Amino acid sequence: MSANVYGQIVNVLVQLLTIPLLISAWGIGKYGEWVILSAIPAYLIMSDFGIGQIACNKMIEKETVGDGKGSIKIYQSLLLFNLLGSLSISIVFIGIVHLFEIYKSLGVESIDSSVVTLIVFLQIIQVVLSLQSNAFLSAYKCLKRHAEGAFLFHSIKLFEWGVGISSVLIGQGVLGFILFMIVGRLIGTFFMYFKLLSHNNDYRINLANSSVGIIKKLIVPGVTFMSFPLGISIMLQGMTLIIGAVVGSAGAGVFNALRTLVRVVIQGVTIINQSFWPELTRAYSKGDYGFLTKLYNRSIVLAIVMAAFGGLGLALFGELFVMWWIDDDFLFDFEVFIYLLFGAVVSVLAQPAWVLLVALSKHFSLGLFYLFLSVLSLIIAKYLVGLYGVVGAAYSIIAFEVGILIISYIMAKNLMSSLK
C-alpha cells in the first residue's frame, strides 16, 4: 500500500508542478508544442506489447516453486525483447516523423525540423530506459523486495523530473529539458540496477540466457493485457494530437493542463483500488466469494464517496486553484473544465467494476471493448473538435467513459452472478 501511495504522490506531484513551471518559462504556445511532441513517442512505451507485466507474473510463479533459473531466463528474455522491440519500432517511427514532418500538421511550428527529430530520438531513448527499469522492478518483486523496487522505480521518475526542471530554471528550452531528463533517468536506472545486483548477482544483464521461444509464449497474453494501457494512451495522447492539429499548440496546452487537474480525482481512487486488487485475487483463488462480494461492494462505496467529494470540490474551487496554480493570465475555459471533470467522475465510478474483472483475470472481452471504444472516441473527437473546438474532445471523453461504465458493470454483474 505504501509503495502505491508513494508512486501516486510522485505522479501527481510531477504533473501538477511541471505545468506551471513550463508555462511560466516557455509560455502556453511552446508548452503546448512540448505536450504534442511528448505525446508522439508515448505510444512507444507500448512497444513491449504487455509482455513486461505477463513476464513479471511468470517470473514470480517460477520463483515461488523454486525454479530460480527459469525466472532468470524469462527476465533475460524480457530485457532482450525490450531492447530489440523498442529500437526496431523506433527506427521506423523516427523515419516517419522525419520524412513526412507530421509534427507540422499537429501544431508544432516554432521548432526547427532537425531539432524535432533529435527531440523525438531522445524521447525514444527515455522510453527504452523506462522499459528496462520496469524489467528491473520485476526482478525486485521476484526477490520479495517489491516495496524497495517500487520506491526506487518512482524515485527515478522524481529524480529525472528534478534534473529536467533544473535545466528549465537556468533557461534551457525543450531540447535541453529532455536531454537533462535523460541524464537523470540514466543515473537512476544504473543505481537501481546495481542495487539489484547487490541483492542477487544472477540478475546481471546476460542476454545469452534469453530465449526467443519464451518471448513467443508471452506475446498473446501480453497483447490481451495491453488493451487497457493502449486504450488509455489513445485517449490521453490521441486527444492532445488531435487538438494540436485542429486548434493549435496553445489549445493543446490548455486542454492538457485542465485534464491533468481533473485526473487527480482518478489517481486518488487508483491508490485504493490497487490495494483492493490483490485482495480480490486472493479471495477468488480461495473460493471465498462472500468476502469477495464484501470487498467489491466496499470498493464501490469508496468510489462513490471520492467521486462525490472530489468532483464537488473541484467544481467549486477548480478555477481558483488554477489561477493560483498556473497564472492569473491563464485562459481558464470553465466549459471544457466541467465536462472533463464529469468524465473523470464517471471514470472513478467505473473503476471498481473493471478492477474486479482484471483482478479475477476475466477481462478479455472488456479489454477489447475498451480498445474499440477508445479508437471510436478518437475518431468522433476529430469531428467534434472541428465543430466545437477543445470542448469537443471533452464531449468525446464523456461518451467513452459512460460506455466503459455501462459495459464494466454489466460484465461485473454477470461475473458475480456466476459465482453464487
Side-chain angles (χ1 to χ4, degrees):
M1 176 68 175
S2 59
N4 293 333
V5 171
Y6 175 67
Q8 289 299 325
I9 289 175
V10 169
N11 287 334
V12 172
L13 185 68
V14 168
Q15 290 169 4
L16 292 182
L17 291 180
T18 299
I19 292 172
L21 288 171
L22 294 188
I23 291 178
S24 175
W26 298 342
I28 190 66
K30 181 162 284 190
Y31 167 72
E33 290 184 336
W34 159 252
V35 169
I36 292 167
L37 288 175
S38 59
I40 299 173
Y43 289 101
L44 290 175
I45 200 70
M46 308 295 169
S47 60
D48 78 335
F49 299 104
I51 286 180
Q53 183 60 46
I54 303 301
C56 178
N57 293 341
K58 297 297 182 183
M59 288 166 61
I60 293 173
E61 289 175 10
K62 293 287 186 181
E63 284 286 349
T64 302
V65 298
D67 186 5
K69 290 184 177 179
S71 176
I72 296 295
K73 200 170 187 66
I74 295 173
Y75 166 74
Q76 298 292 352
S77 301
L78 175 60
L79 292 176
L80 176 64
F81 181 81
N82 284 345
L83 184 62
L84 296 182
S86 56
L87 287 180
S88 58
I89 292 175
S90 299
I91 291 171
V92 176
F93 191 81
I94 290 176
I96 293 173
V97 170
H98 184 71
L99 292 176
F100 296 99
E101 298 185 333
I102 60 174
Y103 55 89
K104 289 185 178 180
S105 63
L106 296 176
V108 179
E109 299 173 350
S110 69
I111 305 176
D112 185 73
S113 61
S114 59
V115 177
V116 168
T117 303
L118 180 57
I119 289 172
V120 172
F121 173 72
L122 292 173
Q123 288 178 320
I124 288 169
I125 293 176
Q126 192 178 23
V127 167
V128 173
L129 290 172
S130 179
L131 290 174
Q132 302 301 40
S133 298
N134 269 313
F136 299 152
L137 178 58
S138 297
Y140 276 90
K141 290 179 180 178
C142 285
L143 296 174
K144 297 181 179 180
R145 293 179 176 273
H146 176 224
E148 179 186 353
F151 174 78
L152 290 172
F153 181 82
H154 295 300
S155 294
I156 289 174
K157 181 174 183 178
L158 186 60
F159 180 69
E160 168 191 54
W161 172 83
V163 174
I165 285 296
S166 67
S167 74
V168 175
L169 296 178
I170 61 175
Q172 292 293 316
V174 175
L175 181 58
F177 180 50
I178 184 62
L179 190 57
F180 273 64
M181 286 184 72
I182 286 177
V183 171
R185 167 67 62 172
L186 196 60
I187 293 172
T189 302
F190 271 110
F191 180 84
M192 185 180 188
Y193 173 65
F194 287 114
K195 186 69 175 176
L196 172 64
L197 296 188
S198 71
H199 297 308
N200 189 330
N201 195 52
D202 290 339
Y203 284 97
R204 66 188 182 279
I205 297 176
N206 182 9
L207 300 182
N209 289 330
S210 60
S211 167
V212 175
I214 290 176
I215 294 174
K216 289 180 179 179
K217 292 179 181 178
L218 296 174
I219 287 178
V220 174
V223 170
T224 302
F225 180 84
M226 273 305 292
S227 57
F228 291 104
L230 181 56
I232 292 172
S233 184
I234 288 173
M235 288 297 297
L236 295 181
Q237 311 301 339
M239 291 295 176
T240 299
L241 296 177
I242 285 176
I243 293 172
V246 178
V247 179
S249 61
V254 171
F255 175 80
N256 185 73
L258 297 179
R259 184 185 60 190
T260 298
L261 179 58
V262 301
R263 285 188 63 81
V264 170
V265 180
I266 299 175
Q267 290 169 321
V269 176
T270 299
I271 294 174
I272 296 173
N273 282 326
Q274 284 179 338
S275 300
F276 275 108
W277 190 321
E279 297 304 320
L280 289 166
T281 304
R282 291 191 186 97
Y284 178 69
S285 300
K286 293 177 181 178
D288 191 351
Y289 301 142
F291 184 55
L292 176 68
T293 302
K294 185 183 294 185
L295 286 172
Y296 175 52
N297 291 336
R298 191 179 301 169
S299 69
I300 293 175
V301 172
L302 286 172
I304 292 173
V305 171
M306 292 197 70
F309 280 96
L312 183 61
L314 282 177
L316 293 175
F317 305 108
E319 184 172 0
L320 289 174
F321 178 78
V322 169
M323 295 302 100
W324 169 82
W325 171 42
I326 301 178
D327 192 273
D328 289 339
D329 297 327
F330 179 81
L331 182 60
F332 183 85
D333 191 322
F334 184 77
E335 185 181 16
V336 173
F337 175 74
I338 208 69
Y339 281 121
L340 287 175
L341 179 59
F342 181 74
V345 167
V346 175
S347 178
V348 166
L349 296 175
Q351 266 204 31
W354 69 255
V355 166
L356 172 73
L357 294 165
V358 175
L360 274 55
S361 297
K362 305 293 184 181
H363 60 283
F364 179 75
S365 296
L366 178 62
L368 294 179
F369 273 113
Y370 199 97
L371 191 57
F372 170 74
L373 288 179
S374 63
V375 174
L376 180 61
S377 66
L378 202 63
I379 295 171
I380 294 172
K382 181 69 166 63
Y383 172 74
L384 293 179
V385 171
L387 285 178
Y388 304 109
V390 177
V391 74
Y395 295 155
S396 180
I397 289 173
I398 289 175
F400 167 80
E401 297 293 358
V402 170
I404 292 299
L405 175 75
I406 295 171
I407 293 170
S408 296
Y409 275 100
I410 290 175
M411 290 184 175
K413 182 181 179 181
N414 292 337
L415 174 60
M416 296 302 289
S417 296
S418 69
L419 298 179
K420 294 179 181 179

